Amino acid sequence: QKLQPYLEKREINTLLKGIQESGLKASQIIANMLQFSRKSDSQHAPENLVTLMDKALELAGKDYSLKKKLDFRQIRITKEYDSDIPLIPCSSTEIEQVILNLLQNAAWAMSSNMKKGPQAISIQMKLEEEALRIEIEDSGPGMDEETRIKVFEPFFTTKPVGEGTGLGLSVSYMIITNNHRGTMAVESEPGKGSKFIVRLPLDETIRL
């Protein structure tokens, strides 16, 4: 009976909670880093990318960590898809992870712009000769050139300490380029938002 007041007085419970949270974060970082050390063994199968996008949007709307910065339901989502998009060979879980990460980053970037009015994400899927081009563009503050060229580097982040590991985009980049033989790029200027461009081969044997 005396132990609990002792722990509370010395804030030991708070310290233990911090240790637990740090351990979970470390575990997440290690899991992400493992994706750099081995090629994914995920099974690729023909997938409907429109369905995957809708699932990622639904998950983004329910993500509690986003609500602390911005309610995803306040974002205006516009979608423009080619009508004849075929099934794309890919790992559905990995591509959904990439899309969700891009949506989460867009929401976080736009959270600082909420006072300037409604924010928007534009999503496009276009068929090219050998690839499906996916564009996710936000109305956030954009990035300067120094930030833009580092954005896919492991552990690079513009988020405050404790809010990001700097691995989300680097892991996403490896999923697209290494595991799916695709490409991933970003276009951005200060004050003009950011556009992430993912290209997935229509044929798994193609190296873009």
Side-chain angles (χ1 to χ4, degrees):
Q1 294 180 350
K2 295 182 179 181
L3 179 60
Q4 190 61 31
Y6 176 86
L7 295 175
E8 291 176 356
K9 184 177 181 180
R10 288 159 179 77
E11 298 184 347
I12 293 176
N13 287 334
T14 301
L15 294 174
L16 290 174
K17 184 178 180 181
I19 292 172
Q20 182 182 35
E21 291 176 351
S22 296
L24 290 172
K25 184 171 291 186
S27 176
Q28 180 185 11
I29 290 173
I30 291 170
N32 286 333
M33 289 182 68
L34 287 174
Q35 297 207 37
F36 290 104
S37 64
R38 65 172 183 269
K39 186 173 179 63
S40 170
D41 57 1
S42 298
Q43 293 296 315
H44 289 199
E47 299 288 347
N48 185 322
L49 266 293
V50 173
T51 300
L52 284 183
M53 182 65 72
D54 287 342
K55 287 176 63 179
L57 284 166
E58 182 179 359
L59 286 172
K62 296 178 179 179
D63 195 317
Y64 177 75
S65 65
L66 283 182
K67 291 180 181 179
K68 292 188 292 185
K69 285 290 183 182
L70 176 67
D71 188 341
F72 202 85
R73 293 169 297 181
Q74 296 179 26
I75 301 173
R76 184 176 72 254
I77 306 293
T78 60
K79 297 183 283 188
E80 183 180 340
Y81 305 154
D82 282 354
S83 59
D84 53 349
I85 295 176
L87 299 180
I88 305 297
C90 66
S91 163
S92 60
T93 55
E94 290 185 350
I95 297 303
E96 187 177 316
Q97 176 185 343
V98 171
I99 294 172
L100 182 58
N101 179 256
L102 293 177
L103 293 172
Q104 289 175 329
N105 284 352
W108 185 88
M110 291 187 296
S111 65
S112 62
N113 275 11
M114 282 301 292
K115 293 182 180 179
K116 299 179 182 179
Q119 301 302 297
I121 293 177
S122 170
I123 303 170
Q124 295 190 10
M125 291 193 202
K126 304 175 182 177
L127 276 176
E128 298 181 339
E129 185 175 347
E130 296 182 334
L132 174 65
R133 179 186 178 102
I134 303 170
E135 297 182 1
I136 298 179
E137 183 174 8
D138 65 62
S139 60
M143 296 178 272
D144 57 29
E145 183 65 9
E146 183 179 0
T147 301
R148 190 191 67 79
I149 63 178
K150 293 181 178 180
V151 77
F152 295 122
E153 294 182 5
F155 300 109
F156 177 79
T157 181
T158 59
K159 296 177 181 178
V161 175
E163 291 193 29
T165 63
L167 287 172
L169 284 176
S170 54
V171 169
S172 294
Y173 184 85
M174 291 298 294
I175 287 174
I176 297 300
T177 61
N178 189 52
N179 298 357
H180 289 82
R181 296 174 175 265
T183 64
M184 189 171 182
V186 60
E187 297 175 357
S188 185
E189 294 181 38
K192 297 185 178 180
S194 300
K195 178 193 293 184
F196 284 85
I197 303 164
V198 174
R199 297 172 72 236
L200 291 171
L202 303 180
D203 184 333
E204 279 193 297
T205 63
I206 296 174
R207 169 71 73 174
L208 297 177

